[in-house]
Amino acid sequence: MMTERTISSLPVASGEPDYRRNLAQRGFPAKHLARGLNTWKPYNAPSERARDVCTAFVQDWVNRVKIGPDDARERLGKGILLCGPPSTGKTALACAVAYEIRRRGVGVRFITAANFVAALAEENKLRVQADRGEPRAVDLFWSIKNLIGQINRVPLLVLDDLGHEHRTASDMARDEIQRLLRNRHAAAKPTIVTSNFAPEVWRELYGTAMAEFAFEAFDIVTLGGKGLRRDR
């Protein structure tokens, strides 16, 4: 098991920039700013394993983003899927991992799946207005386009609450979520996903191929037990 001493001894980049402001600018929730793995307290056996997996991910970061030894190649681009019921600490743990990675000088970003899908829909709507030359629409269009570009390119993305994004008859949300996760994995850009739904349920939400892809693209951890917010 990874101890708090192991976690706190992981190497960090020199200097101590304003991580709180830095992470806030990258979309992270205020209550989870600049809180590392040593602040996330396990509350049962599954949560102990979850923190161990997340600590190992931080230690193994270089093999997740660069081609390394042959025995590490299967981990290239591999992220973490934290699944389980609401209020079990998934988002807090995902943000703690991102904080540890950011302290090592790596770019990170946070967005909910719902906001990602909404941004794509807004981009499509604004494109039409921007093509007509409406000044405000042009500015907003490029702002959203830049956000979507960052989500695709950032070395580590936290995609929160997958499975609760708005769905339409066109299946745009499903298709764009799949495209995002598959492209990031193929480009060796790991994603940390939180979801109330296990990969088996992804078959209903995103199809069989996506459910099987989850086992290839993520270290899967299931959190459970009493909800943290209900324990307080």
Side-chain angles (χ1 to χ4, degrees):
M1 183 181 71
M2 301 291 180
T3 66
E4 291 189 15
R5 178 175 293 181
T6 303
I7 295 167
S8 62
S9 67
L10 295 174
V12 300
S14 60
E16 284 293 328
D18 186 348
Y19 290 116
R20 186 174 295 274
R21 177 181 298 178
N22 187 281
L23 292 170
Q25 292 170 342
R26 286 161 173 77
F28 284 80
K31 66 180 179 180
H32 299 314
L33 292 178
R35 295 176 64 84
L37 285 169
N38 62 336
T39 70
W40 195 88
K41 305 300 182 185
Y43 50 90
N44 59 14
S47 65
E48 288 274 6
R49 178 178 179 270
R51 195 176 73 166
D52 287 353
V53 168
C54 289
T55 302
F57 175 86
V58 174
Q59 293 178 316
D60 191 48
W61 174 255
V62 67
N63 290 318
R64 307 289 174 132
V65 295
K66 293 182 180 179
I67 296 176
D70 287 344
D71 62 355
R73 291 199 176 200
E74 67 177 20
R75 303 198 297 277
L76 189 65
K78 197 169 190 178
I80 303 173
L81 169 59
L82 300 170
C83 54
S87 306
T88 47
K90 300 184 297 294
T91 300
L93 183 55
C95 291
V97 175
Y99 171 64
E100 300 291 352
I101 296 298
R102 183 69 191 107
R103 290 177 70 216
R104 287 148 183 81
V106 177
V108 298
R109 182 164 260 290
F110 177 101
I111 194 167
T112 65
N115 284 347
F116 171 66
V117 170
L120 290 170
E122 187 70 7
E123 180 194 28
N124 290 332
K125 182 177 75 174
L126 287 169
R127 180 182 286 109
V128 176
Q129 299 172 4
D131 286 345
R132 293 199 297 259
E134 299 178 21
R136 182 173 178 276
V138 171
D139 292 342
L140 286 173
F141 171 76
W142 285 108
S143 176
I144 292 176
K145 192 171 184 64
N146 180 57
L147 169 64
I148 293 170
Q150 290 177 27
I151 290 166
N152 280 279
R153 295 189 305 267
V154 71
L156 178 65
L157 174 69
V158 176
L159 185 65
D160 192 44
D161 211 13
L162 184 65
H164 287 292
E165 63 276 3
H166 179 66
R167 294 182 182 84
T168 63
S170 68
D171 284 333
M172 184 273 284
R174 184 194 68 183
D175 294 345
E176 292 295 342
I177 290 288
Q178 290 194 51
R179 183 176 294 111
L180 173 69
L181 294 177
R182 286 183 178 277
N183 286 349
R184 288 187 55 81
H185 180 255
K189 296 181 185 299
T191 305
I192 301 176
V193 172
T194 74
S195 179
N196 292 348
F197 306 103
E200 293 77 12
V201 183
W202 286 25
R203 297 181 191 279
E204 303 171 22
L205 299 175
Y206 303 108
T208 299
M210 184 64 168
E212 293 175 354
F213 168 74
F215 290 96
E216 174 188 353
F218 303 104
D219 293 327
I220 300 173
V221 182
T222 302
L223 290 158
K226 236 179 174 182
L228 294 180
R229 287 197 285 269
R230 291 190 294 272
D231 286 345
R232 293 173 183 161

